[in-house]
């Protein structure tokens, strides 16, 4: 049972609601809609119709998904959604579901169609306004729409798929078998834009400057002259959250920075330097031994996250008591944290500490998460809006549990020190090579593996260090970075020479998926 609740900020923006049928690209759909300056939200496919009505969306998008509409337990939404008079766009499974629900036929193809394909489209359709008669699109499906429901007409086909797009102009229902949200589809965002503007009639009122101003105003009203405590880690998310709160409630905000002993080398000092002299009522708490004691002999990554999440909150509560009555706890949770923590219907991959890792009982009246609905790039824009320096706004992300999830297996102070030193060298070499802007996240991991080496004439039996560097925009998928060999060589040689107890360095060449960015 959860004893806290999150402040819901008033949202009066135009909304496109995305019904999640477990498609792998769902977040991308939400991002594409927002790139059109229209607010979008992902909700589970089985969201009750009353809730959908309450949200008053201008349009609804059904996502893709792995199921077949004929499968047992296939995800279905309430059919009432078709009677709301709201435009609907069905993508892939979403199109098939629309077809099935409205009396058309879906059939299983002999062969799965996967890859970019030329789709012949009817460019007189509002959905394809501004397009030529052919467009390259990403298809990824086995089932397909065999016959259209009554009232629909065909507006697209490929060699293998007779109904690659359909419309019912009267009802404003549209279906596309391909995925407009991925880059592999040519001008996919324009298709979404056509739906959002030409069909749903949105005007594009979702702008970061107005989001920031509205959020500040609504927090001012909600919190009034009560006190709030912010968990400031120095990362972009919590820094932006703190700045927004500071603008809303001024001196009634206190920012607590917890040094849990699992930060990167020199990080505690750097964060104190940036925020120590600001107007944020900045307090640094040295909780290093407290966290390390709790983590002693803990090997399971999820357990590490839970322990750190819980200890964080306890530290805050104690600090809060010193300040007097504090009702609100501010956190820098962002939208991907919410989704990846399995709060919606998606699979739970890891419980990021801001959400899933929180203990059940928290001694604050309310949790304030002003960035809960934003994607990372939107948080960065908000950061610039509130006047944070670019250097901080474009910092690479660092996970809440810090080095705890980059030391595989149990954590000791010695291992922390080894990892801090090695990671520092890697970051230094990346910066020297001018790669720190193009690589989105890069760090070292201390594996639990020890192997034999030779140094001078001596045999060594020491740790293997892994280097990880990825290029990504959304951190949901990522490619490993193709760092030039010379830089890897220089880094490796410096690490084995300068950091005691590392005698082997390897480079992680896996992308996400199938791996994740962090090792734990
Ligand atoms: P993964 O490893 O899930 O990481 O591919 C995706 C992004 O999330 C960060 N990450 C975390 N952030 N608490 C956080 O605040 C966590 O427990 C956590 N685990 C992963 C990771 O650094 C990457 O940016």
């Amino acid at each position: 049972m959860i004893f806290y609740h999150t402040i819901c900020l008033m949202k009066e923006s135009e909304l496109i609601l995305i019904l999640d049928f477990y498609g792998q690209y769902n977040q991308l759909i939400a991002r594409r809609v927002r790139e059109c300056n229209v607010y979008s939200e992902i909700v589970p496919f089985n969201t009750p119709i009353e809730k959908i009505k309450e949200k008053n969306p201008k349009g609804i998008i059904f996502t893709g998904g792995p199921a077949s509409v004929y499968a047992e337990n296939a995800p279905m939404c309430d059919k009432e959604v078709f009677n709301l008079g709201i435009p609907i766009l069905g993508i892939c499974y979403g199109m098939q579901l629309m077809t099935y629900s409205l009396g058309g036929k879906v059939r299983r193809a002999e062969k799965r169609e996967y890859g970019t394909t030329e789709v012949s489209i009817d460019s007189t359709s509002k959905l394809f306004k501004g397009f030529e008669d052919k467009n390259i699109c990403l298809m990824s499906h086995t089932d397909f729409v065999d016959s259209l429901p009554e009232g629909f007409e065909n507006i697209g086909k490929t060699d293998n798929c007779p109904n690659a797009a359909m419309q019912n102009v009267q009802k404003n229902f549209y279906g596309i078998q391909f995925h407009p949200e991925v880059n592999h589809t040519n001008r996919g965002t324009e298709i979404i834009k056509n739906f959002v503007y030409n069909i749903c009639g949105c005007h594009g009122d979702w702008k970061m400057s107005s989001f920031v101003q509205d959020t500040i105003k609504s927090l001012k009203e909600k919190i009034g002259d009560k006190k709030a405590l912010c968990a400031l880690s120095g990362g972009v998310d919590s820094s932006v959250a703190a700045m927004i709160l500071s603008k809303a409630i001024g001196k009634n905000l206190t920012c607590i920075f917890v040094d849990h002993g699992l930060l990167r080398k020199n990080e505690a000092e750097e964060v104190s330097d940036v925020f120590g002299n600001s107007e944020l009522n900045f307090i640094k708490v040295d909780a290093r031994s407290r966290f390390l004691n709790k983590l002693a002999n803990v090997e399971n990554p999820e357990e590490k996250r839970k322990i750190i999440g819980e200890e964080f909150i306890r530290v805050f509560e104690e600090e809060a008591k010193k300040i007097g009555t504090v009702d609100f706890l501010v956190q820098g949770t962002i939208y991907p944290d919410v989704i990846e923590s399995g709060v919606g219907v998606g699979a739970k991959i890891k419980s990021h500490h801001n959400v899933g890792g929180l203990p059940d009982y928290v001694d604050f009246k309310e949790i304030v998460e002003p960035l809960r609905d934003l994607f990372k790039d939107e948080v960065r824009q908000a950061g610039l809006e509130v006047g944070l320096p670019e250097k901080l706004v474009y910092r690479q992300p660092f996970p809440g549990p810090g080095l705890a999830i980059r030391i595989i297996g149990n954590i000791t102070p010695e291992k922390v020190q080894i990892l801090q030193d090695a990671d520092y060298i890697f970051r230094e070499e990346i910066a020297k090579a001018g790669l720190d802007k193009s690589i989105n996240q890069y760090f070292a991991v201390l594996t639990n593996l020890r192997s034999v080496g030779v140094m001078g004439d001596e045999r060594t039996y020491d740790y293997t260090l892994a280097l990880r560097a990825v290029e990504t925009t959304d951190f949901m998928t990522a490619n490993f970075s193709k760092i030039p060999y010379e830089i890897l060589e220089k880094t490796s040689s410096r690490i084995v020479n300068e950091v005691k107890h590392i005698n082997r360095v390897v480079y992680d060449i896996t992308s996400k998926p199938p791996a994740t960015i962090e090792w734990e």
Side-chain angles (χ1 to χ4, degrees):
M1 194 155 127
I2 306 280
F3 285 86
Y4 60 84
H5 63 280
T6 301
I7 283 193
C8 289
L9 299 172
M10 285 256 297
K11 261 183 236 101
E12 280 147 20
S13 334
E14 297 168 334
L15 167 70
I16 296 290
L17 204 59
I18 298 168
L19 293 200
D20 178 359
F21 290 94
Y22 303 118
Q24 55 179 320
Y25 306 125
N26 294 354
Q27 281 208 44
L28 281 181
I29 302 175
R31 287 171 55 88
R32 295 289 170 260
V33 173
R34 292 196 193 180
E35 278 164 24
C36 304
N37 293 328
V38 175
Y39 182 69
S40 63
E41 216 177 287
I42 305 176
V43 295
F45 66 88
N46 51 5
T47 302
I49 200 75
E50 288 311 321
K51 264 236 163 101
I52 294 182
K53 276 203 239 168
E54 240 169 59
K55 288 182 178 279
N56 192 25
K58 300 278 284 181
I60 296 174
I61 298 181
F62 294 173
T63 72
S68 160
V69 287
Y70 295 115
E72 210 183 313
N73 299 328
M76 302 269 166
C77 56
D78 190 326
K79 274 194 181 175
E80 263 306 295
V81 75
F82 297 106
N83 296 326
L84 298 177
I86 298 172
I88 302 177
L89 171 67
I91 297 175
C92 194
Y93 175 83
M95 173 185 183
Q96 295 160 14
L97 180 74
M98 182 184 278
T99 303
Y100 176 78
S101 308
L102 298 175
K105 271 217 169 62
V106 175
R107 194 149 64 88
R108 176 138 290 225
E110 312 260 294
K111 219 169 72 202
R112 179 177 150 85
E113 183 181 24
Y114 182 83
T116 47
T117 310
E118 190 173 73
V119 184
S120 304
I121 51 175
D122 177 352
S123 54
T124 63
S125 163
K126 280 188 192 171
L127 192 63
F128 301 130
K129 189 171 170 225
F131 278 72
E132 302 291 322
D133 291 343
K134 293 193 187 309
N135 196 55
I136 299 293
C137 302
L138 182 86
M139 300 287 255
S140 170
H141 66 113
T142 311
D143 286 3
F144 68 98
V145 171
D146 193 23
S147 61
L148 303 179
E150 210 184 301
F152 278 77
E153 60 185 319
N154 179 299
I155 50 167
K157 58 175 183 288
T158 71
D159 289 345
N160 291 316
C161 182
N163 294 306
M166 64 181 193
Q167 68 180 11
N168 179 332
V169 185
Q170 253 174 358
K171 302 217 154 173
N172 273 327
F173 294 161
Y174 291 78
I176 44 183
Q177 186 53 69
F178 55 86
H179 290 271
E181 68 275 23
V182 298
N183 286 335
H184 296 95
T185 291
N186 204 6
R187 300 170 65 195
T189 307
E190 282 174 63
I191 297 174
I192 290 179
K193 197 170 183 177
N194 278 340
F195 175 68
V196 166
Y197 282 80
N198 298 343
I199 296 162
C200 303
C202 292
H203 298 92
D205 61 359
W206 173 250
K207 304 230 166 63
M208 216 24 77
S209 50
S210 35
F211 169 83
V212 169
Q213 291 318 320
D214 292 351
T215 305
I216 291 172
K217 189 166 156 254
S218 110
L219 285 171
K220 221 181 232 168
E221 283 161 14
K222 291 243 175 209
I223 302 181
D225 54 8
K226 297 210 173 86
K227 289 190 169 149
L229 204 59
C230 177
L232 183 67
S233 71
V236 58
D237 303 343
S238 60
S239 302
V240 175
M243 290 299 282
I244 287 180
L245 260 293
S246 163
K247 287 189 188 295
I249 62 167
K251 281 282 165 216
N252 282 334
L253 172 72
T254 301
C255 289
I256 311 278
F257 168 65
V258 179
D259 181 359
H260 53 26
L262 296 151
L263 299 169
R264 288 166 290 192
K265 187 169 171 167
N266 299 339
E267 191 160 20
E269 295 73 25
E270 282 166 16
V271 174
S272 305
D273 285 350
V274 175
F275 293 105
N277 300 320
S278 65
E279 295 180 342
L280 296 179
N281 284 334
F282 178 84
I283 297 174
K284 178 180 146 194
V285 186
D286 183 353
R288 285 177 295 180
S289 46
R290 182 172 170 166
F291 276 83
L292 288 178
N293 286 340
K294 284 261 170 181
L295 287 165
N297 301 320
V298 177
E299 295 187 353
N300 181 302
E302 284 300 272
E303 216 177 305
K304 289 178 184 173
R305 282 189 170 84
K306 291 268 186 265
I307 290 171
I308 292 172
E310 163 122 27
E311 209 54 19
F312 251 106
I313 294 293
R314 302 295 162 235
V315 172
F316 290 133
E317 284 170 354
E318 287 170 22
E319 291 303 315
K321 281 204 187 99
K322 293 183 198 161
I323 297 165
T325 310
V326 176
D327 288 314
F328 300 94
L329 175 68
V330 184
Q331 290 207 124
T333 312
I334 70 171
Y335 203 31
D337 298 335
V338 176
I339 296 174
E340 283 222 339
S341 294
V343 172
V345 290
K348 174 170 170 167
I349 315 287
K350 300 176 183 183
S351 49
H352 289 193
H353 87 272
N354 280 340
V355 188
L358 274 180
D360 286 348
Y361 178 76
V362 180
D363 195 8
F364 289 93
K365 232 194 210 157
E366 287 192 85
I367 305 261
V368 187
E369 294 176 323
L371 312 175
R372 200 180 160 87
D373 295 321
L374 300 190
F375 287 109
K376 194 81 176 183
D377 48 346
E378 293 174 319
V379 173
R380 292 204 161 109
Q381 279 173 42
L384 296 175
E385 287 291 332
V386 293
L388 280 173
E390 279 202 15
K391 191 167 173 247
L392 201 153
V393 165
Y394 290 104
R395 247 183 123 180
Q396 64 161 319
F398 184 64
L403 302 184
I405 54 165
R406 293 180 180 171
I407 294 171
I408 310 304
N410 75 324
I411 299 163
T412 64
E414 188 199 25
K415 286 183 180 173
V416 174
Q417 170 93 52
I418 294 173
L419 182 56
Q420 280 177 333
D421 290 344
D423 182 73
Y424 187 76
I425 293 173
F426 186 34
R427 286 189 289 133
E428 226 174 32
E429 289 305 320
I430 291 289
K432 263 198 238 162
L435 294 176
D436 49 340
K437 299 259 167 5
S438 56
I439 304 178
N440 305 98
Q441 200 170 3
Y442 49 98
F443 53 88
V445 176
L446 188 62
T447 76
N448 223 355
L449 179 78
R450 296 213 281 169
S451 70
V452 175
V454 54
M455 216 164 199
D457 290 328
E458 301 271 325
R459 174 189 193 272
T460 58
Y461 186 61
D462 272 325
Y463 289 111
T464 299
L465 184 93
L467 302 177
R468 180 77 165 137
V470 294
E471 283 161 34
T472 171
T473 47
D474 54 13
F475 296 88
M476 301 291 297
T477 58
N479 292 324
F480 77 85
S481 175
K482 288 158 191 88
I483 297 179
Y485 276 147
E486 310 80 72
I487 295 159
L488 289 174
E489 185 180 19
K490 173 103 185 286
T491 307
S492 160
S493 138
R494 272 193 65 193
I495 289 173
V496 287
N497 280 301
E498 295 174 35
V499 184
K500 245 179 142 186
H501 300 300
I502 293 178
N503 67 353
R504 192 179 294 270
V505 176
V506 297
Y507 186 53
D508 183 347
I509 53 166
T510 353
S511 290
K512 173 184 180 179
T516 52
I517 295 174
E518 303 288 347
W519 274 37
E520 285 200 331

